[in-house]
Amino acid sequence: MARWDNPGIPHKGWALVGCVDLGEDVYGDDEIEYETCEMCHNEKIRYVHILTHPNYPGAIRVGCDCACKMTEDYVTHPDDERRLRNRANRRRNFLKQEWYRSTKGNLVLNYKGEYITAVEKHGRWSCVYRNRWINSFHGQIITDFATLKLAAFDAFDEE
Ligand SMILES: [Zn+2]
């Protein structure tokens, strides 16, 4: 039963906790595991809007259309999705770029007027961008170039 039909679940008065992209940690050819909107069961969602309500235990994960109705805010949720979608596009473009090997043997990316230099030492990767060293990705040391590129993107995209 879709929750819109469940009298125990409030239709309005929800507050936004956050919006997540289920594709955020999916790289290359891996499949994104879409979710179904918990409220209508119709929307197959990549961008999950997480909402809470004072009269509902825990959080609910819904699609954009339901989120708009439940918070009565028709601006924030589409904006959140647009922001995440734009970031996903920027990341895809970033990951497509070719790095070249410098005369010192490091891998270098020259992108949008910026330089990122990747260094591998004893199986551990790091890179330097705007005089800042990046040695980890999500708190883990970096042991391959593919992961280094993801960490580099996060640093590059923070600006
Ligand atoms: Zn829905």
Side-chain angles (χ1 to χ4, degrees), residues 78-93:
D79 274 357
D80 284 350
E81 284 206 10
R82 198 172 307 118
R83 195 168 33 78
L84 289 174
R85 195 173 295 120
N86 288 343
R87 177 180 153 82
N89 288 338
R90 290 196 304 275
R91 192 175 60 166
R92 190 163 48 243
N93 286 332

Side-chain angles (χ1 to χ4, degrees), residues 34-150:
Y34 292 94
E35 290 183 17
T36 302
C37 172
E38 284 188 50
M39 200 67 180
C40 69
H41 293 182
N42 293 325
E43 296 176 80
K44 183 183 163 199
I45 49 180
R46 165 170 176 166
Y47 302 95
V48 180
H49 303 262
I50 301 164
L51 309 179
T52 56
H53 193 283
N55 301 327
Y56 184 82
I60 195 165
R61 298 166 72 88
V62 299
C64 192
D65 292 350
C66 288
C68 288
K69 290 177 202 155
M70 294 161 79
T71 61
E72 297 180 274
D73 175 346
Y74 293 82
V75 177
T76 301
H77 311 295
D79 274 357
D80 284 350
E81 284 206 10
R82 198 172 307 118
R83 195 168 33 78
L84 289 174
R85 195 173 295 120
N86 288 343
R87 177 180 153 82
N89 288 338
R90 290 196 304 275
R91 192 175 60 166
R92 190 163 48 243
N93 286 332
F94 183 91
L95 296 176
K96 265 194 263 173
Q97 301 305 311
E98 294 277 352
W99 296 57
Y100 65 88
R101 200 164 284 280
S102 74
T103 49
K104 287 179 184 169
N106 298 321
L107 285 164
V108 180
L109 174 64
N110 175 8
Y111 187 50
K112 296 189 174 175
E114 302 279 357
Y115 285 90
I116 303 174
T117 303
V119 179
E120 192 250 302
K121 240 184 199 165
H122 310 302
R124 287 178 67 156
W125 286 85
S126 52
C127 68
V128 60
Y129 169 62
R130 290 192 169 179
N131 293 321
R132 184 157 82 84
W133 281 95
I134 296 129
N135 306 305
S136 62
F137 181 62
H138 294 179
Q140 306 276 320
I141 62 161
I142 301 167
T143 56
D144 62 86
F145 183 53
T147 307
L148 185 276
K149 289 201 281 186
L150 298 172

